[in-house]
Amino acid sequence: FLAMAGTMNAPVGGFDFDLCKRNAWLEANNANGDIIKKAKKTGTTISGVVFKDGVVLGADTRATSGPIVADKNCNKIHYLAPNIFCGGAGTSADCENVTEMIGSQLTLHRLHTGRECRVATAVTMVSQYLFRYQGYISTALIIGGADCTGPSLYSVSPHGTVDQLPFQTMGSGSLAAMAMFESGFEDNMDQEKAVALVRAAITSGIENDLGSGSNVDIAVVKMGGIVERFRNIDKSLPKYKSKNPLKYPAGTTSFFEEVISKIKITEGEAMDE
């Protein structure tokens, strides 16, 4: 044992600059951009606000795959418990599976204790699970609900960081949505004002972010387990169609040469293997 201990390197104090050398090598050898991968945008606008009787959650309905719109009317507001809902941003598969898993754990917790789940319980489960994977699960959630302590609203980042604020935004359109909250938020708002504010925030994200778009979904969670969901409360504008469409007669585009070839197809027996 003593011989083994002698061969082990004793910890040395001071700073270690090995990572600086690694970063310099990566920067020097990343001319084609193949080594260092760029962070991907979440392509979503989700938000939430607390009012005097509960919380309001909102989300857009555009799902993207890089520059391609994969789904124009997906659902980004997920069920966790009868009194707890969340809006999800990030990879859709991660959001779906994480929310379903946490929802099943909350159901077992509710059956075991015989009590209504608290919002803080759901937030703790999600944050501990995401922190375990150090951000490799691309799920950013805004969790809101109403329990015995009153209405509350949290945001959970993919790394497990938790914030509790009276209004929250996440996703690539979060800055545009946050501008609406900072200019229009009031304490002890009624439900009508809160829904209108969340609708304005999501619409702002849709109009100012290419990754967000299509329609607006709203979920209202109030004290006493009352839930109201509004699917496609605001719909995207239809494509513009000209009243006088342009019609070009045949021969408008000039060309220099025209070649017409006839192709003869002969049917024969299939080749033997």
Side-chain angles (χ1 to χ4, degrees):
F1 178 78
L2 295 176
M4 183 184 299
T7 58
M8 296 177 63
N9 294 326
V12 180
F15 294 100
D16 186 0
F17 295 97
D18 289 341
L19 294 181
C20 296
K21 298 177 182 178
R22 181 206 64 178
N23 295 340
W25 181 88
L26 289 174
E27 185 177 357
N29 293 274
N30 194 46
N32 299 327
D34 299 331
I35 301 176
I36 302 177
K37 302 298 181 182
K38 296 182 179 180
K40 294 184 179 180
K41 294 178 64 178
T42 56
T44 292
T45 301
I46 55 175
S47 63
V49 67
V50 177
F51 67 101
K52 63 180 181 179
D53 296 324
V55 297
V56 179
L57 299 174
D60 70 305
T61 61
R62 173 178 290 181
T64 56
S65 177
I68 301 170
V69 177
D71 190 352
K72 296 181 180 179
N73 196 27
C74 68
N75 183 20
K76 300 182 183 180
I77 299 180
H78 307 278
Y79 167 91
L80 293 180
N83 62 317
I84 307 172
F85 284 76
C86 70
T91 304
S92 59
D94 290 344
C95 289
E96 290 284 345
N97 285 277
V98 169
T99 53
E100 288 181 3
M101 181 191 65
I102 298 300
S104 65
Q105 293 181 2
L106 290 174
T107 300
L108 294 174
H109 183 275
R110 188 166 61 254
L111 294 173
H112 178 69
T113 59
R115 304 177 189 174
E116 182 182 66
C117 293
R118 295 191 181 189
V119 181
T121 303
V123 172
T124 302
M125 288 182 177
V126 173
S127 62
Q128 289 180 351
Y129 180 77
L130 294 178
F131 177 76
R132 193 183 311 157
Y133 290 90
Q134 293 292 300
Y136 284 97
I137 295 179
S138 178
T139 300
L141 300 178
I142 293 179
I143 303 175
D147 53 27
C148 59
T149 63
S152 55
L153 188 68
Y154 298 83
S155 66
V156 185
S157 73
H159 295 83
T161 305
V162 177
D163 289 320
Q164 183 180 12
L165 293 169
F167 53 88
Q168 303 272 8
T169 63
M170 297 191 85
S172 56
S174 60
L175 295 180
M178 182 60 73
M180 303 303 296
F181 280 134
E182 291 181 343
S183 62
F185 175 78
E186 299 176 1
D187 290 328
N188 296 321
M189 289 188 298
D190 57 16
Q191 179 178 337
E192 184 178 356
K193 286 186 177 180
V195 171
L197 183 59
V198 173
R199 289 171 67 177
I202 299 300
T203 302
S204 178
I206 289 173
E207 293 177 350
N208 294 279
D209 175 47
L210 292 177
S212 307
S214 299
N215 311 318
V216 178
D217 289 346
I218 296 292
V220 181
V221 185
K222 295 189 288 187
M223 298 296 295
I226 302 173
V227 178
E228 299 177 13
R229 301 194 67 174
F230 303 95
R231 181 78 167 136
N232 297 342
I233 190 171
D234 292 327
K235 294 187 177 181
S236 59
L237 297 175
K239 292 183 178 180
Y240 174 76
K241 293 184 179 180
S242 175
K243 296 180 180 179
N244 300 314
L246 298 176
K247 294 183 179 180
Y248 297 98
T252 300
T253 303
S254 59
F255 56 91
F256 298 101
E257 184 179 358
E258 179 180 2
V259 177
I260 300 176
S261 301
K262 294 183 179 181
I263 300 175
K264 184 178 180 181
I265 300 177
T266 302
E267 297 183 359
E269 296 181 356
M271 296 179 61
D272 297 331
E273 292 183 358

